[in-house]
Amino acid sequence: FYRRKQKQTRVIAGEKGAMPSASLPPWASVTLLFGINLINYMDRWTVAGVLPELQAPPETDGFGISDAEGGLLTSVFVLTYMLLSPLFGFLGDRLRRKRIIAFGVGIWSAATFLSSFAADYNSLLLCRAVVGVGEASYATVAPTLIADLFPVEVRTAWLSLYFVAVPLGSALGFIVGGTTSVFLGWRWAFRFTPILGIILTLILQIFMEEPARGQSDAAPTDYAAVPQTSLDVEDAPTTPGHDNPEYTAAAKRPPLMCGGFCADAKAIWETRSFLWSTLGLTSATFVLGALAQWSPTYLQRINCNRSQVGYLASAQEFSECKFHINLIFGLISCATGIGGTVLGAALSTKYSKPTNAADAVLCGVGLLLAAPAIFLALQFAPVS
């Protein structure tokens, strides 16, 4: 919200939404970020695809864990992700974002790869917690790079393409994880994506020039002119942004002992629309996280259980049943997730204006339409 004057902020006078000079064209940079985000979500939901194998007895290379312990594998990831995201967001406003991305991908790739060698449940749990550290550092700064690559007129479209990686990567996590666990064992499901993540990150670090913050915004000086504390008022240059009411209000506030971080947190807390949006997204994530974590396992238990199929199925038939459920669930998640992301972005671009709440209405309508579909899916799963 409040940004200090930064030497690297360069805006070419008279060029609204000027593109940054970069070795890679903007579309190629977005493609790389999309690829890394795809692997990010594949890593995140591979656990759900191999959960039945993790719950298998130790004689079959499982850990014999309970449902509560299986759920904790995702919960501990979410916990570290939640706690460290504000820190990396703060650092993303002050440090080179490419370095933060390299740090994050390196951490989560190493943790994911090491989890394939876990000797027991506790070591696997620790690795999943570290994955949350790495993904928090990437997820908080990568979208800001895209925002600085494109002017506001086309920014939503490019961000929607980037976020297509969320449903696609999640679906591939179910499919690749489940398929790999059937044919090679669950440990191999954690060994492919880290290598791809490191390769894409190296390409990003070598060939992409980081854009200046706010370079594609229509009026970046309005942001730069708002001080972080009242101590910044005396040194702030005279710009049109000083007429902004937010600048005047910020200038009257007493200085905060913890500096810019507290100023950012205070500004966020005072933004009611942000708080309500965050509460809504948190509630939706609570439901979606439970569905993503347990839907494949639930469907496998009621459809692949030997007492349900009516005869004593062989181990191969049992594995094939689980494989097909992961595949179908992943394909449906992929198709509907991509369709919803693209449709939402198109509707937002058409109807959203600074004077309305079209984006919030679109999100609310989408959730209301999904609620009965979830109920019907749970009701019909045992019989169809």
Side-chain angles (χ1 to χ4, degrees):
F1 287 84
Y2 297 158
R3 296 182 178 176
R4 290 188 183 276
K5 302 177 291 295
Q6 298 168 358
K7 293 181 180 179
Q8 66 186 57
T9 301
R10 305 180 305 271
V11 179
I12 302 175
E15 294 185 9
K16 179 179 179 180
M19 290 290 184
S21 58
S23 300
L24 285 176
W27 66 265
S29 299
V30 175
T31 301
L32 283 173
L33 293 171
F34 168 87
I36 298 172
N37 201 34
L38 182 75
I39 295 170
N40 171 6
Y41 277 86
M42 286 181 65
D43 281 343
R44 187 177 302 188
W45 293 113
T46 295
V47 170
V50 303
L51 188 56
E53 282 70 27
L54 295 175
Q55 293 185 306
E59 302 83 56
T60 58
D61 199 27
F63 294 139
I65 60 177
S66 64
D67 285 347
E69 290 172 321
L72 188 58
L73 288 172
T74 298
S75 296
V76 71
F77 159 82
V78 173
L79 182 63
T80 55
Y81 185 96
M82 175 189 70
L83 293 176
L84 292 175
S85 289
L87 172 62
F88 286 113
F90 174 79
L91 295 176
D93 280 336
R94 290 152 178 84
L95 303 177
R96 288 185 61 84
R97 290 167 288 180
K98 281 174 46 176
R99 294 178 182 174
I100 296 177
I101 288 176
F103 169 80
V105 177
I107 290 293
W108 103 52
S109 297
T112 300
F113 188 76
L114 289 175
S115 65
S116 68
F117 298 97
D120 52 35
Y121 171 75
N122 290 331
S123 56
L124 179 62
L125 188 67
L126 176 62
C127 287
R128 296 310 297 175
V130 177
V131 170
V133 176
E135 293 195 14
S137 61
Y138 173 77
T140 52
V141 301
T144 69
L145 288 174
I146 299 176
D148 289 334
L149 284 170
F150 297 96
V152 68
E153 293 82 4
V154 297
R155 187 177 297 163
T156 299
W158 285 101
L159 282 171
S160 69
L161 292 177
Y162 167 79
F163 283 113
V164 162
V166 176
L168 181 58
S170 301
L172 288 176
F174 301 131
I175 295 172
V176 175
T179 303
T180 305
S181 66
V182 169
F183 294 102
L184 298 176
W186 69 266
R187 296 182 183 274
W188 281 97
F190 295 100
R191 292 174 180 170
F192 296 114
T193 54
I195 298 173
L196 296 175
I198 293 295
I199 292 174
L200 290 178
T201 303
L202 287 176
I203 296 174
L204 187 77
Q205 296 295 312
I206 294 172
F207 295 105
M208 177 183 174
E209 181 180 340
E210 182 171 331
R213 292 178 178 87
Q215 186 162 345
S216 294
D217 291 334
T221 51
D222 288 345
Y223 295 97
V226 180
Q228 291 187 339
T229 71
S230 60
L231 297 178
D232 294 331
V233 178
E234 295 180 0
D235 324 338
T238 303
T239 69
H242 284 205
D243 296 331
N244 191 322
E246 291 187 32
Y247 178 91
T248 305
K252 294 178 180 179
R253 295 175 187 143
L256 299 174
M257 296 302 295
C258 57
F261 183 81
C262 289
D264 290 348
K266 191 173 188 299
I268 290 173
W269 184 256
E270 293 174 350
T271 306
R272 294 181 60 187
S273 60
F274 179 85
L275 290 179
W276 283 110
S277 298
T278 301
L279 180 61
L281 181 59
T282 301
S283 302
T285 304
F286 179 83
V287 176
L288 293 176
L291 290 172
Q293 174 75 6
W294 291 109
S295 290
T297 300
Y298 170 68
L299 293 171
Q300 289 168 13
R301 287 179 181 176
I302 63 176
N303 290 286
C304 302
N305 189 288
R306 297 178 183 183
S307 63
Q308 295 286 338
V309 296
Y311 63 94
L312 188 62
S314 66
Q316 180 179 355
E317 290 171 327
F318 195 61
S319 297
E320 289 178 354
C321 177
K322 294 192 293 184
F323 161 72
H324 284 110
I325 285 177
N326 276 331
L327 178 63
I328 294 171
F329 184 82
L331 291 175
I332 291 175
S333 300
C334 179
T336 56
I338 293 176
T341 303
V342 174
L343 177 61
L347 292 174
S348 174
T349 301
K350 182 175 182 179
Y351 294 107
S352 180
K353 294 180 175 59
T355 56
N356 64 25
D359 289 339
V361 172
L362 285 172
C363 293
V365 170
L367 291 173
L368 289 175
L369 292 176
I374 295 173
F375 174 79
L376 292 174
L378 294 175
Q379 292 299 311
F380 286 108
V383 296
S384 175

